[in-house]
């Protein structure tokens, strides 16, 4: 957060000290880019990684979620419209490696917001998620568990970047 605030401060100062009579976004943007370079040069003094890594990780999580949302929506719609007699609902257990409550909450919300799956319960020790899946074939379970593992890895990347 401190890196980002320093970058914004450099951009504002660049805009203020520019020899112009009014605010131009292009001047602010140039100052932001210069500040980005300066912050990148000195980011090791702040501790941790460069702040754009976290934004990149959040962007990847957002894009993966949107992809999963689109594909699962199409898959769920296909099952409901054309294969309603072939649907085999059931409960799947997933052992999570996430530790804190808010990490598990984010994972649970990502699963719930994806059509075709709902988290029914979380074990008392927060290590197991019980997920109701719309179709419990081996292929669908494999896709569901791989997407949850992908979410979990992206959540960890956001935290530790």
């Amino acid at each position: 957060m401190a890196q980002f605030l320093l970058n914004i401060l450099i951009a504002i100062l660049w805009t203020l000290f520019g020899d112009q009579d009014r605010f131009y976004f292009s001047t602010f943007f140039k100052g932001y880019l210069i500040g980005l370079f300066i912050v990148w040069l000195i980011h090791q003094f702040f501790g941790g990684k460069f702040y754009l890594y976290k934004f990149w990780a959040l962007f990847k999580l957002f894009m993966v979620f949107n992809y999963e949302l689109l594909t699962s929506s199409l898959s769920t719609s296909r099952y409901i419209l054309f294969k309603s007699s072939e649907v085999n609902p059931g409960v799947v257990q997933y052992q999570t490696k996430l530790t804190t409550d808010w990490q598990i909450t984010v994972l649970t919300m990502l699963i719930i917001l994806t059509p075709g799956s709902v988290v029914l319960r979380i074990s008392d020790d927060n290590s197991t998620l019980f997920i109701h899946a719309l179709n419990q074939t081996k292929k669908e379970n494999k896709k569901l568990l791989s997407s949850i593992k992908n979410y979990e890895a992206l959540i960890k990347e956001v935290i530790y970047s």
Side-chain angles (χ1 to χ4, degrees):
M1 186 68 172
Q3 294 178 24
F4 177 70
L5 291 176
L6 178 62
N7 195 359
I8 295 297
L9 178 67
I10 291 170
I12 290 171
L13 290 174
W14 184 268
T15 304
L16 290 175
F17 294 142
D19 199 19
Q20 298 171 347
D21 55 346
R22 58 186 212 145
F23 177 80
Y24 291 105
F25 181 75
S26 61
T27 307
F28 179 80
F29 187 70
K30 287 177 199 171
Y32 181 80
L33 291 178
I34 290 169
L36 196 65
F37 179 70
I38 292 170
V39 170
W40 178 75
L41 287 176
I42 64 171
H43 77 275
Q44 65 265 20
F45 298 115
F46 288 100
K49 293 184 178 180
F50 185 51
Y51 80 95
L52 281 184
Y53 292 138
K54 188 171 291 263
F55 286 128
W56 178 248
L58 280 169
F59 178 74
K60 284 194 318 189
L61 178 63
F62 178 74
M63 294 308 290
V64 166
F65 172 71
N66 282 330
Y67 172 76
E68 292 290 335
L69 181 66
L70 179 69
T71 57
S72 64
S73 295
L74 293 174
S75 176
T76 303
S77 299
R78 184 172 45 100
Y79 276 112
I80 291 171
L81 294 174
F82 304 114
K83 298 181 178 182
S84 58
S85 61
E86 298 176 17
V87 173
N88 183 20
V91 177
V92 179
Q93 289 184 5
Y94 179 74
Q95 294 287 97
T96 183
K97 295 179 183 87
L98 299 177
T99 54
T100 63
D101 289 340
W102 74 268
Q103 294 170 354
I104 295 169
T105 302
V106 169
L107 179 64
T108 303
M109 294 307 296
L110 289 172
I111 295 169
I112 289 173
L113 290 172
T114 306
S117 57
V118 176
V119 176
L120 297 174
R121 180 167 160 45
I122 301 172
S123 65
D124 293 334
D125 61 350
N126 289 342
S127 66
T128 306
L129 301 174
F130 297 94
I131 303 163
H132 179 272
L134 179 67
N135 194 13
Q136 196 174 12
T137 61
K138 285 187 179 184
K139 179 183 171 188
E140 291 293 324
N141 278 351
K142 196 173 192 178
K143 283 178 20 182
L144 175 66
L145 294 178
S146 71
S147 69
I148 294 172
K149 283 181 185 178
N150 199 9
Y151 284 152
E152 197 172 48
L154 288 170
I155 291 170
K156 285 181 180 180
E157 186 178 345
V158 168
I159 294 167
Y160 299 118
S161 62

